[in-house]
Amino acid sequence: MRTITIKPLLDYYLWAPLALAGPDLVPEKDILLEIKNSFIVSQRVVQQDYLPASVLNHPRFYALEERTTLLPALIDAHVHLALDGKDFNRSRVMWDDRVSLEGRIRQELKEMISSGIGAVRDGGDCRGINLEARHLVESEQCPGPRIVATGQAIRAQGGYGSFLGLDYHNRAAIPVMVERIWASGADQLKVVVSGVVSFIEYGSVKGPLMQLDELRYIVSCARERNLKVMAHASSAAAVDLAVDADVDSIEHGYFARPESLKLMAEKQIAWVPTIIPVAVQAREPLLDLRTPLEIDVISKTYEEQIEKLNFALELGVPLGVGTDSGAGGVSHAHNLIEELMLYKAASLTNRQVLKAATSTNAGILGFNKEIGILDRGYRAALIAVQGNPLEDLEALKDVVVYLNPGS
Ligand SMILES: [Zn+2]
């Protein structure tokens, strides 16, 4: 795979035999892009044989190979860079070994590039390691996708997720916490409204729920600081709470009721269903650790989630894509395509799946009208893959060019 680092202040020409252009990813042949200051400034149809000499002789002209397709880089709207996706305890021990930790994260970021991932949103960790990862990329110490960081999460009193962030003991502590998270440099605020789905008892979610008035208070404090609120909500009740409190995105959202999805469409609250972290529990190698009852519960849980995707889209819920990579069994980078294949299993069209992973996810990350679409005025965060993903999504497994426009 070839990485083209787009340097600000320089101009580039890129010719593609096929490009998925505009918000609807319309296939267009023989596209010539002109890129200035990292942004696409013009896009026109020119057959390769008719490219002008001024373009052909330009020092930064790139022509993509036949049978490749140019499209917006993929986006993963839910990762945890602080965790390795293999061994939770080992990941945590590594937090105190800064050299190994940074080495691992550098490697994950590299693999994200190889997988065509142009941006990720990190769902937080109690040490704020995601902020350090963002710094690595922004200070150009390490190539990687653009990172939207949440720093430390806020969780319900005595609730799930001590590795994600801190809880509060009274209402008065809430504005202080939000202020501190904002001051740490977080781009969004992560709130842990509920526990996680049980793999033993179908439909059960462990741990106490956040109180509605507290969640509303957190959201209003976040708004004052211009922070979007990313809410981990894994039960029907948790989804209702999060919708009621007007969060910006609902993460996981297992067991969400149809009425809640309707409200999400009305309020334009995004949904990041994270199916793969549950699905991998019933796949090799974790499968061998499970009892038949657990496999049944796990399968029922994620299959129910898959069934709701189409319904949510039809209602108009902004449907994003996130892998929860770093969580048990979900390694970084490679699982985004696995998540997309699960969307495919929900009989979404390839175009719908691609839109979720590009333009809708860009909106969830707060990069609306900036990345996620191949068009004039957008940043050149693009990839080329072998084949055409509109015809076969598996084409996304073969990324041949990655344009890295920095941030
Ligand atoms: Zn998460």
Side-chain angles (χ1 to χ4, degrees):
M1 192 206 66
R2 173 175 204 175
T3 302
I4 302 171
T5 303
I6 305 285
K7 298 214 168 72
L9 306 176
L10 291 181
D11 49 352
Y12 295 77
Y13 286 98
L14 182 68
W15 181 87
L18 187 71
L20 306 185
D24 290 317
L25 296 156
V26 176
E28 286 179 15
K29 283 184 181 166
D30 303 320
I31 290 294
L32 178 67
L33 297 182
E34 188 182 353
I35 298 160
K36 272 189 180 156
N37 283 328
S38 304
F39 285 85
I40 301 168
V41 293
S42 84
Q43 176 193 325
R44 56 205 161 103
V45 176
V46 185
Q47 287 180 16
Q48 195 168 21
D49 292 345
Y50 294 94
L51 284 166
S54 60
V55 169
L56 290 170
N57 298 327
H58 192 277
R60 286 170 302 278
F61 165 65
Y62 300 90
L64 300 180
E65 304 267 327
E66 280 305 312
R67 287 183 290 283
T68 59
T69 304
L70 184 68
L71 71 153
L74 304 175
I75 299 170
D76 189 337
H78 195 133
V79 305
H80 293 277
L81 283 161
L83 302 173
D84 71 5
K86 294 177 190 102
D87 186 326
F88 180 75
N89 293 326
R90 193 186 59 196
S91 290
R92 290 209 58 166
V93 169
M94 208 190 258
W95 289 358
D96 294 318
D97 174 359
R98 309 304 288 180
V99 176
S100 304
L101 174 68
E102 196 184 302
R104 179 185 65 72
I105 290 175
R106 280 172 181 267
Q107 186 57 31
E108 317 277 23
L109 295 171
K110 224 167 106 185
E111 284 171 26
M112 284 175 170
I113 285 185
S114 305
S115 301
I117 298 172
V120 299
R121 183 178 57 158
D122 194 291
D125 63 85
C126 65
R127 295 273 184 97
I129 291 163
N130 59 98
L131 292 164
E132 294 171 36
R134 188 189 65 188
H135 177 71
L136 269 182
V137 175
E138 283 185 350
S139 59
E140 294 179 0
Q141 292 176 61
C142 171
R146 198 160 165 191
I147 298 172
V148 169
T150 54
Q152 295 169 304
I154 297 186
R155 60 193 175 91
Q157 286 188 60
Y160 161 82
S162 58
F163 70 99
L164 290 171
L166 310 166
D167 65 351
Y168 47 85
H169 299 291
N170 54 57
R171 211 180 131 88
I174 288 174
V176 183
M177 285 182 83
V178 174
E179 177 73 19
R180 215 189 52 226
I181 292 165
W182 170 79
S184 76
D187 302 299
Q188 297 196 2
L189 188 73
K190 170 76 179 290
V191 181
V192 188
V193 179
S194 76
V196 283
V197 294
S198 165
F199 300 145
I200 300 166
E201 194 183 340
Y202 172 75
S204 124
V205 174
K206 283 172 252 166
L209 280 180
M210 198 170 256
Q211 298 297 309
L212 178 60
D213 65 320
E214 292 168 356
L215 183 53
R216 280 193 177 142
Y217 193 28
I218 292 170
V219 173
S220 81
C221 293
R223 294 271 188 273
E224 277 176 29
R225 287 298 180 192
N226 238 331
L227 297 171
K228 279 178 177 260
V229 179
M230 166 186 192
H232 164 118
S234 268
S235 64
V239 171
D240 287 347
L241 267 179
V243 171
D244 217 330
D246 282 330
V247 302
D248 295 279
S249 69
I250 291 189
E251 311 299 309
H252 321 303
Y254 277 85
F255 315 111
R257 297 177 304 116
E259 301 75 47
S260 318
L261 289 170
K262 276 180 200 155
L263 272 174
M264 283 166 69
E266 241 167 66
K267 295 183 169 196
Q268 285 296 288
I269 295 174
W271 185 26
V272 181
T274 65
I275 306 164
I276 195 71
V278 177
V280 289
Q281 307 302 321
R283 288 185 188 177
E284 294 288 358
L286 297 176
L287 179 72
D288 301 338
L289 308 172
R290 302 283 175 203
T291 65
L293 172 79
E294 286 172 331
I295 293 167
D296 192 49
V297 169
I298 291 162
S299 304
K300 231 166 119 181
T301 302
Y302 81 81
E303 279 160 14
E304 183 185 314
Q305 190 83 328
I306 288 175
E307 276 166 30
K308 284 181 193 151
L309 298 186
N310 239 326
F311 178 65
L313 261 189
E314 273 165 25
L315 290 172
V317 176
L319 178 68
V321 183
T323 56
D324 214 358
S325 67
V330 191
S331 61
H332 294 286
H334 312 292
N335 274 285
L336 183 56
I337 181 79
E338 296 298 325
E339 181 78 6
L340 298 182
M341 295 320 275
L342 290 168
Y343 278 43
K344 182 90 185 113
S347 58
L348 265 64
T349 64
N350 289 359
R351 177 174 274 114
Q352 286 173 321
V353 176
L354 285 171
K355 267 183 152 181
T358 55
S359 53
T360 309
N361 264 2
I364 292 171
L365 266 65
F367 297 147
N368 226 345
K369 298 210 163 81
E370 191 188 333
I371 59 169
I373 293 179
L374 191 166
D375 206 350
R376 249 187 324 185
Y378 282 78
R379 204 176 275 277
L382 306 170
I383 55 171
V385 298
Q386 192 67 47
N388 179 353
L390 278 185
E391 285 165 8
D392 182 2
L393 265 189
E394 300 251 350
L396 297 174
K397 286 183 178 169
D398 197 357
V399 179
V400 288
V401 175
Y402 182 96
L403 261 73
N404 192 348
S407 57

